[in-house]
Each structure stands twice: as C-alpha cells, then as structure tokens.
Amino acid sequence: MFSEKMLKLGTNRSVIRDLFEYAKKRKAEIGEDKVFDFSIGNPSVPAPACVREAAIDLLQNEDEVLLHGYTSAQGDAGLRRNIAEYINEQHGTSLTADSLYITVGAAASLTISLTALAEDGDEFITFAPFFPEYRVFVEKTGSKLVVVNSSPEDFQIDCEAFEKALTPHTKGVILNSPNNPSGVVVTEECIKTVCGILEKKQEEYGHPIFLITDEPYRELVYDGVKVPYLMNYYDNTIVCYSYSKSLSLPGERIGYIAVSDKAVEWKNIYAAICGAGRALGYVCAPSLFQQVVARCIGKTSDVSVYKKNRDILYNALTEYGYRCIKPDGAFYLFVEALEKDAGAFSEKAKEFELLLVPADSFGTPGFVRISYCVSTEQIEKSLPAFKALAESYGR
Amino acid sequence: MFSEKMLKLGTNRSVIRDLFEYAKKRKAEIGEDKVFDFSIGNPSVPAPACVREAAIDLLQNEDEVLLHGYTSAQGDAGLRRNIAEYINEQHGTSLTADSLYITVGAAASLTISLTALAEDGDEFITFAPFFPEYRVFVEKTGSKLVVVNSSPEDFQIDCEAFEKALTPHTKGVILNSPNNPSGVVVTEECIKTVCGILEKKQEEYGHPIFLITDEPYRELVYDGVKVPYLMNYYDNTIVCYSYSKSLSLPGERIGYIAVSDKAVEWKNIYAAICGAGRALGYVCAPSLFQQVVARCIGKTSDVSVYKKNRDILYNALTEYGYRCIKPDGAFYLFVEALEKDAGAFSEKAKEFELLLVPADSFGTPGFVRISYCVSTEQIEKSLPAFKALAESYGR
C-alpha cells in the first residue's frame, strides 16, 4: 500500500528523539530546571552577532525579489567563491567556486554525496561510534554500511581492522572528526595511516575509494587541537560541512559539499552531486541564509562555553568514578555505563532526572552520550545527581 | 566509479536552465532591457509586507537559540496547527497538526511523498503538459511515470485516456492545477470524473490509489476561478504545497504536505512521510521561515500584476495570430509554435530576442511556454517582437 521501509523509519523514533519527548513530559511534571536533559545536540550558545546584523540588513536593504529568489541549484556563485577562498586561506588548498555545492545542512550534504557516488552493490565504511543516521542514509542508496570498531582505549581508528574491512566493493569511507558521539579528534598520525591504506587499496582494486569527511564540528575544538584537512592528505576527498554548529544555526539548514579539485574526474563527481541534489528534490539552499553565511564566513559562536562545560563535567565525572573519553572537540562526553547494558543504565539515570543517550545505536554498546551543549548552570546543578548515580552503583 | 544516472541528471541541464544561461550571456552582450526573457518561473512581485515585518521582528525579539534551533522533523507544532486551521476554514476539512508535515518547498513535498508511497514495480500517472522534474522524482524512487495526454483543445484531462492508463500497478496520480506550463485550472466537473474513475479502479484492484496534488499556484488564479480542494472529492489525497509562489519566496524553500485524515491508514502514510523525509536527509524546514510563514498565513503577494500581464499578453498574441490556451491561473501562457518543431521555433524567436521555452520536455511537443512573471513593462516592450516573429511566419 505504501513503503514499509519508510513507515519503519518514520515509526521507530531514534532513542534520542524518545528521550527528547520524555524530557518534555517530565519537565512539565516536575519543572524545567529539575530535569537534567543531556539528550540533544542543539547548540546552546547563540549565533554570533554578525548573523542577526546581516539578516536584518539584507531584509531592510536588498531587493526582496532577488533576496528570496531561486539561486542556482549549486548555490549563489559569490557565496561559493567566498567559501572556496576561505578554505584555501585556512588550509592551503586551491579550490574555486566550481568545487562548492551549497546544501540544506549536513544531512543533505551526506545524502547528496552518497546518492552521487552509490552504484549497485557498493559498500561504505564508517567507524564506531558513529552518528546513527549514517546507516539510514547509506541504506537508502541501496548500499551496505560496514562498521569498523575504534580502539577501545582512546577511540582512535583501529587501522588494522579498517584495512581488513576494505573490499573491492568499497565505494567510500565516512569519517567524522571531531566525532559525534565520542568528541574524539582523529590524530594526524592516524589520518596518515588511513590515507596510506586507502592509496594502497585503490591501486590494488583499480578504482577510486572516496573519503567523505563529515565535519560540522570542525571549529568546535579545545586546547589548540588541530583537525587535519583531509584534502591535503588524500586526493579523492569530499568534504561535507554544515554551519549548524559553528554558527549555531541548526534549524536554518545551511552547509556545503566541497569536492577536492585533485579527486579523479572531480568535475564529473561534482556534476553527479548536482544530479543527486536535483533527484532528491533539493532545488537550492535557503536563499536569505546563503547571503547571511556569505557575510559571516570565518566567524563562529562563542565556543568557550562548551570548553568550560567540558572541563567541569569531565573533571567531576572522572572524580566520581566514571570512565570518560576526554573530548578534544564537538560537545559530547562519551562515558562508559556503570552496568553492561547502557539502556538499563540510562533508565537508572532517569531516576536521578539525568537524561543520557545509550550509545547502542551509535554502534558502541556499553556507553552513554552526554550532550554538554547546555547552560553551564545546568552542568553545575546536575553534578550531585551524577554523584548519586555513581554511588547507587557502589562507586 | 560513481552513479552514471546522477551524472546524467547533473550534466543534461534542462532546456529552461539552458535558456536561463543564454539569457545571462545575451543580456551582457546587448543590454538587460533588450532581451525579453520569458524562461523562468521566478515570481516578479515582491513578498507581502508581512514577510519582512515578521522576519525582522523575530530576529530582533526572539531568543536566537530557539529561533534558529531544530524544530521537530515534521515542523513546528504551532505552525502545523495554524496551517491545518486555515485549510479547514477555507475548505471545510477537519485536519489537525498531525496531518501536516512542513517541507523544504514543493520539490521536497513531492520527493518525500513519492518516496513514502513507492514500492517495487509501482507506476505514477501524470497529465501532459507536466513539470519535467516529475519524471526525475518518480524515476528516482524506481517507479515508472505514465503520461496521459490532455484534450488538445482546452488542455483539460482526457478522462477516457486516463481510465485506460490505470493499471493494477498504479500507486498514485500526480495532478497539478493551476498547471505549469499551461496555466489551466482543472474544472470541478473534470475533477469529479477523475475521482469517480479512481474510486472504481480502487475497488476493482483492491488497493488504494493516491491522488497527489501539486498546488503551488493555488492562490494565483484570475477572474474568480475556483480551484477545487481535492480532499473534498477524494479520500486518498495528499496535498503538496509550497509558499514559493503565493508569498514570492521561491529561494527560501518552505512548503508542506497535508495528508487527508480520510485517507486509508492516514497515520501510517504520515509516518512513512516522516520516514522518507528522514531518509532523504531533510532534518527540518528552515526554522526562521517556519515562524515567518506562521505569521503570514492567508496572505499573498500582489497577484493582480500577473493578471494584468496575462491580459496584455493573451490579447496581443491572439490578435497577432498565435493560438494561446487562455490561462486561468499560474503565470504561464502556453502557445502553439508557429512551426511544427517547437525547438526550432524557440531558436527563431531568439532572433527577435524573445526567450520562450519549447514544451517538448513538458510532454507536449509543438508548444512553447511563456512565463509572464516579469515586469509589465517587459511585456509591453516585447509585443512588437512577438508581432514581428508572427509576421516572419507569414501571419
């Protein structure tokens, strides 16, 4: 009668959405400030001032028909040029507007890139823990998602396991660093090993393997950690980016795909991306926010709040006896559950009004994700609850 | 190496895009006002004042984290309620927020609806002339597009041909009224016949056939013509709507899907729509414009300009000897080419600096589409060129 697959996707809410709905209900019952909701990765820091200034100026002074009109499908040419120049400045690349395709956010960047690349029987590799929607996006193209576990101590890539997972069917590898949910930034050393393996396997199989790097958290890093720019390490790279986190605009849906101008047949890959955007119904990215972003390139929200939250939470939780992966970036703390079943642990945490996401659907059972993109006050007020939760497990 | 299908979609620009690019070049050569560009359906009338007012007020006074934050995937609950109430008020339906799914514009409304419905071997019927992207959207789901010709005199639906085109594989019918490119509004009589045939065939085949009504031009009608609301004629109706034309916001990408609460298993259809939106990478519709639209429901741009343009153009062209379908709505005039090959006619028109879209890709060879969503001044200045073009064919 209709697609059972889509019905299933629409009915089985993600565990994150479930907690989000529970939070709403619970807050109504006992009060907003009594529930420590760490479930959602919604930036808690406002957009930088340039966003509001640019938007109001554009609305007041630009021709409305142009401002709200269609842009070309790949995005406004000026914006694409500005972004290319900024990337070149930051990373020493040589991109032009012709490498940039403006999207309706990171999820669109990924679905469009995957649709452009996927052929019958393809496989895409990613590393656990991973954003659960990767599975949905990859499987929608008819391809198979192959998951490689990370090293259990530091959650860097297990390169040996990665090499074994590559097959002649591997079309691409999705890498997410800084990582959601672990907060880990993959080291340059690890990147070099991964890229070396990819080069070797490309030659062995006689076809390209694409590195799709999903990096909405690029600017959210702490203590001067560097996030290597993948195009400088590997030619067949496609960067999927979003302004959701860096400019605190998750609801506005604006991001981009950048195709390396060193990738094999990169102009055809770019054309396939244009075709995929068209076929999925993406006519253009929202036009006002294309102009807003053009005026805010290189700016970010005040990410120092996230660092402060991280430090308070990481220090307290390790003191209470939790094992935490120290995050170098993003706004997630990945914590080992105090019992084997992370779902049961998350349920137990609810008794202390703590909403923690069990990480099973991220491909890493036994862990929970804590989104610390909340007010510092919430972090501070939640600490006794975390302490009591640890104590209830005899820590 | 990557998807050849997507490469083809990205490389074969539509004939409209080709003319659009030609227009840019030609304008640079001989001057903006010397080229009579009738190629693109971009509203020429600015958005109503409420759009700017609402946007600026929201930017100045709302909490930025909320304003630019994620909404739920199906859209803000308040907006969905407002739209449902407005539809009920206008059309006597009984929709609630639970029937409404806010989308990133009409193309997204269609790709999401089709993806939610399509199963292996499905067919979707539409009526020529039709918006060429229907083929792209339907084929992307793996389904087959079946095209039924309209009556050649008045471009109403040829109901006999329609009945013959239905098969046990028919999953849905896409109806676009007011129509792009003909401007025709399907009459109530014709709608009743179509729905009667659908009822009969549903019973015969023992499964539902969905009527997907694509109606971004609903408010752009002239001389008091009424556009029947399909839900009131047929239960298994899914309305795909966009604010692109009614509020002159094509670049902002905002619209909705409304699932009739009388459709079979409508809650499951709605859930499948949620699943399809998720799988295609639509996280939510742009959040600022969700709030803007919520404040502008029932408003439209000044559509009287389009009526004025239509009258001038229709009267002049028929006087010069062209055969035109008189449009009751939208902002397109559908004109029979003065030679058999509409492509050759469009090329000939270029000699007079007239850019007209040959309608072959709309499924109706021998016609051209004139988008009269331009300034009235352009219409008036173009008339001698239309006259000279007719004369060059001996009219």
Side-chain angles (χ1 to χ4, degrees):
Chain A
M1 183 163 2
F2 42 78
S3 166
E4 288 296 326
K5 269 190 208 163
M6 294 305 127
L7 174 61
K8 213 173 129 193
L9 281 180
T11 310
N12 298 354
R13 274 201 308 229
S14 74
V15 58
I16 301 175
R17 280 279 155 192
D18 271 341
L19 269 175
F20 179 71
E21 299 299 331
Y22 172 84
K24 274 206 286 199
K25 201 176 111 256
R26 188 65 181 150
K27 283 172 189 171
E29 281 166 15
I30 66 166
E32 187 88 19
D33 61 327
K34 302 275 188 305
V35 182
F36 307 118
D37 182 3
F38 294 102
S39 64
I40 295 272
N42 211 352
S44 57
V45 172
C50 62
V51 165
R52 177 188 278 163
E53 284 162 19
I56 291 178
D57 183 55
L58 288 159
L59 286 160
Q60 279 173 340
N61 299 312
E62 290 294 310
D63 176 87
E64 285 172 286
V65 170
L66 283 176
L67 183 62
H68 302 306
Y70 293 115
T71 68
S72 69
Q74 62 268 48
D76 178 76
L79 169 61
R80 291 187 289 124
R81 203 164 44 236
N82 289 358
I83 295 174
E85 282 167 9
Y86 179 73
I87 296 173
N88 294 342
E89 208 180 283
Q90 294 289 306
H91 307 295
T93 46
S94 54
L95 302 179
T96 63
D98 294 341
S99 277
L100 270 293
Y101 180 93
I102 312 301
T103 64
V104 183
S109 299
L110 285 166
T111 54
I112 291 171
S113 298
L114 292 166
T115 303
L117 294 176
E119 296 170 288
D120 276 357
D122 275 352
E123 297 175 357
F124 289 87
I125 293 177
T126 199
F127 306 98
F130 64 96
F131 184 52
E133 296 302 272
Y134 289 175
R135 181 177 299 283
V136 177
F137 299 159
V138 166
E139 291 181 353
K140 180 71 186 74
T141 70
S143 303
K144 185 178 157 196
L145 183 74
V146 175
V147 178
V148 172
N149 288 328
S150 299
S151 308
E153 325 79 57
D154 57 5
F155 283 81
Q156 292 287 329
I157 290 170
D158 179 341
C159 291
E160 217 169 292
F162 172 59
E163 183 159 1
K164 281 187 196 141
L166 286 153
T167 79
H169 298 290
T170 309
K171 174 58 66 70
V173 176
I174 307 174
L175 182 69
N176 173 225
S177 168
N179 182 267
N180 171 11
S182 74
V184 165
V185 175
V186 179
T187 63
E188 186 182 24
E189 191 196 339
C190 189
I191 294 288
K192 284 181 174 168
T193 311
V194 164
C195 295
I197 294 168
L198 283 173
E199 298 285 7
K200 193 175 76 176
K201 289 291 182 179
Q202 285 193 134
E203 197 158 328
E204 186 183 325
Y205 302 145
H207 64 73
I209 304 171
F210 296 94
L211 186 53
I212 300 161
T213 146
D214 177 29
E215 41 187 62
Y217 300 98
R218 166 164 287 280
E219 289 81 8
L220 276 63
V221 285
Y222 315 114
D223 309 324
V225 161
K226 294 268 176 276
V227 184
Y229 202 67
L230 271 298
M231 282 189 196
N232 290 330
Y233 297 83
Y234 187 69
D235 287 347
N236 290 326
T237 291
I238 297 172
V239 175
C240 292
Y241 183 80
S242 158
Y243 292 96
S244 290
K245 318 295 176 177
S246 62
L247 290 178
S248 295
L249 297 175
E252 303 301 352
R253 313 310 303 142
I254 181 111
Y256 63 75
I257 300 167
V259 180
S260 172
D261 57 346
K262 296 197 178 64
V264 57
E265 288 194 38
W266 70 272
K267 288 185 183 184
N268 279 338
I269 296 168
Y270 185 89
I273 282 169
C274 293
R278 184 179 166 193
L280 298 178
Y282 291 102
V283 173
C284 65
S287 50
L288 172 65
F289 274 87
Q290 287 196 46
Q291 296 305 321
V292 168
V293 163
R295 296 189 183 191
C296 298
I297 284 176
K299 303 275 174 58
T300 66
S301 306
D302 176 13
V303 302
S304 68
V305 178
Y306 301 134
K307 173 171 158 44
K308 191 173 168 191
N309 289 356
R310 180 202 66 165
D311 290 343
I312 296 171
L313 203 57
Y314 177 80
N315 293 338
L317 264 60
T318 45
E319 189 196 312
Y320 302 154
Y322 293 93
R323 185 189 160 225
C324 309
I325 310 304
K326 186 164 188 180
D328 286 320
F331 39 45
Y332 306 106
L333 186 65
F334 210 51
V335 180
E336 200 164 352
L338 296 180
E339 59 182 296
K340 209 174 163 200
D341 179 348
F345 177 66
S346 168
E347 282 303 312
K348 182 83 184 167
K350 277 183 185 170
E351 293 173 20
F352 299 82
E353 309 303 346
L354 291 166
L355 306 187
L356 318 176
V357 176
D360 299 66
S361 61
F362 294 88
T364 317
F367 280 78
V368 291
R369 184 188 82 168
I370 299 177
S371 300
Y372 56 80
C373 46
V374 297
S375 70
T376 306
E377 196 194 347
Q378 177 181 322
I379 303 267
E380 280 162 346
K381 284 175 70 180
S382 72
L383 295 182
F386 277 112
K387 190 155 192 266
L389 174 63
E391 284 166 0
S392 80
Y393 283 95
R395 298 284 160 126
Chain B
M1 183 162 1
F2 42 77
S3 166
E4 289 296 326
K5 269 190 209 164
M6 293 304 126
L7 175 61
K8 214 173 128 193
L9 281 181
T11 310
N12 298 354
R13 273 199 310 227
S14 75
V15 58
I16 302 175
R17 280 279 155 192
D18 272 342
L19 270 175
F20 180 71
E21 298 299 330
Y22 171 83
K24 274 205 288 199
K25 203 177 112 255
R26 189 63 181 152
K27 284 172 188 171
E29 281 167 15
I30 64 166
E32 187 89 19
D33 60 328
K34 301 276 189 305
V35 183
F36 306 119
D37 182 3
F38 294 103
S39 64
I40 296 272
N42 211 353
S44 56
V45 172
C50 61
V51 165
R52 177 188 277 160
E53 285 161 19
I56 291 178
D57 182 55
L58 288 159
L59 285 160
Q60 280 174 339
N61 300 312
E62 289 294 310
D63 176 89
E64 286 172 284
V65 170
L66 283 176
L67 183 63
H68 302 305
Y70 293 114
T71 68
S72 69
Q74 61 269 48
D76 178 76
L79 170 62
R80 290 186 290 125
R81 202 164 45 237
N82 289 358
I83 294 174
E85 282 167 9
Y86 179 73
I87 296 174
N88 295 342
E89 210 179 281
Q90 294 288 306
H91 306 296
T93 46
S94 54
L95 302 179
T96 63
D98 294 341
S99 276
L100 270 294
Y101 180 93
I102 312 300
T103 65
V104 182
S109 298
L110 284 166
T111 54
I112 292 170
S113 297
L114 292 167
T115 303
L117 295 177
E119 295 171 289
D120 277 356
D122 275 352
E123 297 174 358
F124 289 87
I125 293 177
T126 199
F127 306 98
F130 63 95
F131 184 52
E133 297 301 272
Y134 287 175
R135 182 177 298 285
V136 176
F137 299 159
V138 166
E139 291 181 354
K140 180 70 186 75
T141 70
S143 304
K144 185 179 157 196
L145 183 73
V146 175
V147 178
V148 172
N149 287 328
S150 299
S151 307
E153 325 77 59
D154 57 3
F155 283 81
Q156 292 288 329
I157 291 171
D158 178 340
C159 291
E160 218 168 292
F162 172 58
E163 183 158 2
K164 281 187 197 139
L166 286 154
T167 79
H169 298 291
T170 308
K171 175 58 66 69
V173 175
I174 308 175
L175 181 71
N176 173 225
S177 168
N179 182 266
N180 171 11
S182 74
V184 165
V185 175
V186 179
T187 62
E188 187 183 23
E189 190 196 340
C190 189
I191 294 288
K192 283 182 176 168
T193 312
V194 164
C195 294
I197 294 169
L198 283 173
E199 299 284 6
K200 191 175 78 176
K201 289 292 181 178
Q202 285 193 136
E203 198 158 325
E204 184 183 328
Y205 301 147
H207 64 71
I209 303 171
F210 295 95
L211 186 53
I212 300 161
T213 146
D214 177 29
E215 41 186 63
Y217 300 98
R218 165 164 288 281
E219 288 81 10
L220 277 63
V221 284
Y222 315 114
D223 309 324
V225 162
K226 294 267 175 275
V227 183
Y229 202 68
L230 270 299
M231 282 188 195
N232 290 331
Y233 296 83
Y234 187 69
D235 287 347
N236 289 326
T237 292
I238 298 173
V239 175
C240 292
Y241 183 80
S242 158
Y243 291 95
S244 290
K245 318 295 176 179
S246 62
L247 290 177
S248 294
L249 297 176
E252 303 301 353
R253 314 310 304 142
I254 181 110
Y256 63 75
I257 300 167
V259 179
S260 172
D261 57 345
K262 297 196 178 64
V264 57
E265 289 194 36
W266 71 272
K267 288 186 182 184
N268 280 338
I269 296 168
Y270 185 88
I273 283 169
C274 293
R278 184 179 167 192
L280 298 178
Y282 291 101
V283 173
C284 64
S287 50
L288 172 65
F289 274 87
Q290 288 195 46
Q291 296 305 321
V292 168
V293 163
R295 294 188 183 193
C296 299
I297 284 176
K299 303 274 175 58
T300 66
S301 306
D302 176 12
V303 303
S304 68
V305 178
Y306 301 135
K307 172 171 160 43
K308 191 173 168 190
N309 289 355
R310 180 201 66 162
D311 290 344
I312 297 172
L313 203 57
Y314 177 81
N315 293 338
L317 264 61
T318 45
E319 188 196 313
Y320 302 155
Y322 293 92
R323 185 190 161 226
C324 308
I325 310 305
K326 186 161 189 182
D328 286 320
F331 39 46
Y332 306 107
L333 186 65
F334 210 50
V335 180
E336 199 165 351
L338 296 181
E339 59 183 294
K340 208 173 164 202
D341 180 347
F345 177 67
S346 168
E347 281 304 312
K348 183 82 183 167
K350 277 184 185 170
E351 293 173 20
F352 299 82
E353 309 302 347
L354 291 166
L355 306 187
L356 318 177
V357 177
D360 299 67
S361 61
F362 293 90
T364 317
F367 281 78
V368 291
R369 185 188 80 168
I370 300 177
S371 300
Y372 57 81
C373 47
V374 297
S375 70
T376 306
E377 196 195 345
Q378 177 181 323
I379 304 267
E380 280 163 345
K381 284 174 69 178
S382 72
L383 295 182
F386 277 111
K387 190 154 190 266
L389 175 62
E391 283 165 1
S392 80
Y393 283 95
R395 298 284 160 127

